Amino acid sequence: IEKAASIWDAASSQVLFASTVIPSSSVSRDVQDGISVHSWENIGSYNGVYSPGHAHVWYTTSSQEDGFFQITDSDVDYNTYYNWNTNGISTGTNYDVETIAVHELGHTLGLADLYNKNSAPLYKAQVQQIMNYQYNHPLWLGNGDRQAIWTLYGR
């Protein structure tokens, strides 16, 4: 998960994520409490589809900095419906933690899924982007991923 965060940090040439990770079995997940949590849970399905991960992100609503609301908390759930590995390969029902973490942390940073763009098939076809649904490719940020993060956070 730290490696996944460092991929976004490197792309933006900024420290977007704190470098401190504290393992805990007592912190609440999916609660706006100012503590960002990564957890493995059975998150079920949405319309019959079991997503490998899900990000919950909370922002300030009272003030903006440089035109943006500030992130106050981000929790990421990894679905125990699937099997997990750390070998960089995602196939079938076996997912690589780092690859899914990069995708879900992209949501934390404000990026949307590309695969829900039925009205814009060019976005849906961008399978080389980590923000698409294609989790079975080698881990990288596509040009669109990098352009999006540069737009939001600079280069």
Side-chain angles (χ1 to χ4, degrees):
I1 294 169
E2 287 180 37
K3 286 181 182 178
S6 70
I7 288 171
W8 289 111
D9 288 350
S12 66
S13 299
Q14 295 187 47
V15 178
L16 300 172
F17 294 98
S19 60
T20 302
V21 175
I22 302 169
S24 173
S25 60
S26 63
V27 177
S28 297
R29 67 182 255 290
D30 303 340
V31 177
Q32 184 178 5
D33 58 7
I35 301 171
S36 295
V37 174
H38 287 251
S39 66
W40 274 258
E41 305 286 340
N42 183 343
I43 59 176
S45 67
Y46 179 74
N47 290 335
V49 176
Y50 288 84
S51 171
H54 187 265
H56 305 263
V57 184
W58 292 271
Y59 300 88
T60 59
T61 56
S62 57
S63 65
Q64 296 182 4
E65 186 174 316
D66 297 326
F68 295 96
F69 295 109
Q70 301 302 297
I71 299 167
T72 60
D73 192 352
S74 171
D75 294 350
V76 176
D77 300 326
Y78 301 88
N79 199 343
T80 57
Y81 176 81
Y82 295 106
N83 297 310
W84 292 92
N85 70 68
T86 56
N87 64 12
I89 300 170
S90 295
T91 58
T93 61
N94 193 1
Y95 286 93
D96 174 61
V97 174
E98 185 178 350
T99 304
I100 302 304
V102 171
H103 178 92
E104 297 305 331
L105 290 174
H107 291 311
T108 295
L109 296 173
L111 303 182
D113 289 320
L114 294 175
Y115 54 85
N116 290 329
K117 307 293 184 188
N118 291 328
S119 62
L122 288 177
Y123 288 112
K124 195 172 186 175
Q126 295 293 314
V127 295
Q128 70 274 24
Q129 311 302 326
I130 196 71
M131 295 312 295
N132 209 311
Y133 65 94
Q134 299 290 329
Y135 297 109
N136 58 350
H137 54 68
L139 184 58
W140 67 67
L141 295 183
N143 288 334
D145 298 316
R146 286 191 299 277
Q147 289 290 330
I149 207 66
W150 295 338
T151 298
L152 292 173
Y153 296 94
R155 224 171 159 165

